[in-house]
Amino acid sequence: MASVPNVCGGGWAETKAAYRLLDNARLDFREVLRAHSVPTLERIRQQSRVLCLQDTTELDYSGRPSMAGLGRLNYEQRQGLYLHPTLVISEAGVALGVTDCWHWARLPKGEPDLAESLRWVEGYERVAEMAALAPETRLVYVADREGDLRALIDRAEQLGFAADYLIRVQHDRKLNDPLDGKLRAAVEAQPVLGTIAFDLPAGGNRPARQVTQTIRLARLELKTRSGPGPQVTVILAREEAPPEGQEAVEWCLITNEEITTLEQARARIEWYRKRWWIEVYFRILKSGCRIEALQLRTRERLERALVLYLIVAWRILMLMTLGREHPEWCCEVVFSVEEWQTAWAIHHRTPPPATPPDLGTIVRIVAGFGGWLGRKNDPPPGPKALWQGMTKLSAYVEAVTAIWAAEIKFPQRKRIRH
């Protein structure tokens, strides 16, 4: 991915058409996202349960004084936007689509502005609305500590828990029973229900290792000014003996669901661990699609470009996750005939087979175009190899199509021997 002229192949006519599209006031970015939501909803309906991941990232456009409509980030000299999408994945971790996206620019200090916490509450409301359109599927709203808001918990109860929530605890809330004190002390007082173990991938300066956590559960009633408060289940997953020099992995989660068994708790821990996919999604947006490198003059142009890149980034993530979970599927569930046949021909230097190969085969070929080596102990292809590979594949398909259309025949030349 690169600038608009680069994405358009360097042709002036195509570039001009792209800028006209981004300038078109009749193109509502919300309608574009809603159009993407239609097939996303169909994919959701095919699942018994899906996870709706929400988080916020900042888009830094500092040094672009010509771009109108930006706001301050963490301080006045840094200008940009905030982005808060809803990424839907299956329980197995396959990216199904993007169904909602809050984005906003902060006003200058001292000017009245909307409370930014509204994005979490409204995000849950949009998930609840989507749940009504997929009655056979249970939707779970998953958020990190920033989403630990009493307003969200109360709103979920008001809506009859149309969607479940699973949120990492940030606030040590008071309980309705004075004897119970606060939330964290109450769950820490519970006996250990059992242990779970999983492999923690490497990250930053942290090596990959296995983590074993003890699990404690408590069903608690949060404090209200009068009357009964909302009931929540608190799951405390704690690594009691981390390796020397390593920080213990500990998560305290709350959910509206009543959880009583170790297996139920294990499932929720696995759901929370899949929240990491939205961080991968942001990486694709910024490093792959390079949305912070866009040089557009107005916020309106930028909004229309962003929604298109949201869908592009989802496709890369979907390709990666689907290739891992269902490599045996036919490749044509993702790739067009022109794409997989071109990939096969360039990689193998032979005509493509009559029967489409499986998805895993074509994903590995495309990742190879992006630098993935595919050695015996290499992990599955990651997002960087796939977005670079898909960029090259797009160029290959365009070149092959042009050659076929023009019926170009290259002369056979004798190899010169030295």
Side-chain angles (χ1 to χ4, degrees), residues 59-79:
L59 305 180
D60 189 352
Y61 295 102
S62 302
R64 314 278 176 80
S66 60
M67 188 182 293
L70 300 179
R72 62 184 174 87
L73 296 176
N74 56 341
Y75 53 90
E76 293 291 345
Q77 286 72 23
R78 296 184 68 236
Q79 295 285 299

Side-chain angles (χ1 to χ4, degrees), residues 113-131:
D113 208 346
L114 288 174
E116 293 182 1
S117 59
L118 282 175
R119 69 190 186 274
W120 298 97
V121 181
E122 287 199 6
Y124 177 85
E125 290 174 345
R126 300 293 83 78
V127 170
E129 290 169 3
M130 188 165 53

Side-chain angles (χ1 to χ4, degrees), residues 27-52:
L27 178 63
D28 188 339
F29 69 89
R30 300 174 189 84
E31 291 301 323
V32 176
L33 192 55
R34 274 194 281 269
H36 169 68
S37 297
V38 173
T40 298
L41 182 61
E42 290 305 311
R43 289 187 283 269
I44 290 172
R45 287 171 174 160
Q46 296 172 17
Q47 307 291 323
S48 59
R49 181 183 277 107
V50 297
L51 311 178
C52 303

Side-chain angles (χ1 to χ4, degrees), residues 205-394:
N205 295 324
R206 182 195 67 211
R209 62 184 176 87
Q210 188 177 71
V211 172
T212 300
Q213 293 177 317
T214 57
I215 301 296
R216 291 176 171 85
L217 296 177
R219 186 70 174 170
L220 305 171
E221 183 179 318
L222 300 183
K223 185 176 180 60
T224 56
R225 293 181 179 178
S226 62
Q231 296 274 342
V232 298
T233 299
V234 185
I235 306 170
L236 179 60
R238 173 184 289 163
E239 186 180 25
E240 304 287 355
E244 185 177 353
Q246 295 291 316
E247 185 178 353
V249 178
E250 179 179 317
W251 299 313
C252 187
L253 310 174
I254 58 171
T255 176
N256 60 290
E257 295 185 276
E258 189 166 356
I259 306 300
T260 58
T261 69
L262 181 63
E263 285 307 308
Q264 290 173 331
R266 187 196 309 274
R268 274 70 189 171
I269 296 296
E270 288 300 313
W271 298 350
Y272 179 74
R273 289 182 60 215
K274 288 183 173 62
R275 196 204 67 85
W276 176 248
W277 284 127
I278 199 166
E279 304 292 348
V280 177
Y281 180 69
F282 289 152
R283 182 185 167 204
I284 296 170
L285 275 172
K286 293 184 177 184
S287 299
C289 298
R290 298 183 61 203
I291 57 175
E292 291 177 309
L294 292 173
Q295 299 187 40
L296 301 172
R297 295 178 183 175
T298 66
R299 178 176 169 180
E300 289 74 22
R301 268 187 172 188
L302 182 59
E303 287 173 339
R304 296 181 190 113
L306 285 177
V307 74
L308 297 175
Y309 280 114
L310 284 172
I311 298 169
V312 171
W314 159 76
R315 187 168 189 261
I316 297 297
L317 185 61
M318 179 269 293
L319 184 60
M320 182 180 76
T321 54
L322 195 62
R324 293 182 181 189
E325 293 299 324
H326 299 288
E328 76 285 357
W329 285 9
C330 174
C331 68
E332 290 188 354
V333 301
V334 175
F335 295 97
S336 68
V337 174
E338 293 81 7
E339 286 176 330
W340 76 257
Q341 289 188 347
T342 299
W344 181 281
I346 289 177
H347 178 74
H348 290 286
R349 298 291 193 271
T350 61
T355 303
D358 60 62
L359 178 61
T361 297
I362 301 301
V363 166
R364 290 190 294 273
I365 289 175
V366 172
F369 296 157
W372 183 70
L373 298 177
R375 296 166 297 190
K376 183 176 180 181
N377 295 321
D378 283 348
K384 184 176 181 179
L386 284 171
W387 79 58
Q388 292 180 341
M390 286 298 292
T391 301
K392 286 187 177 180
L393 179 59
S394 177

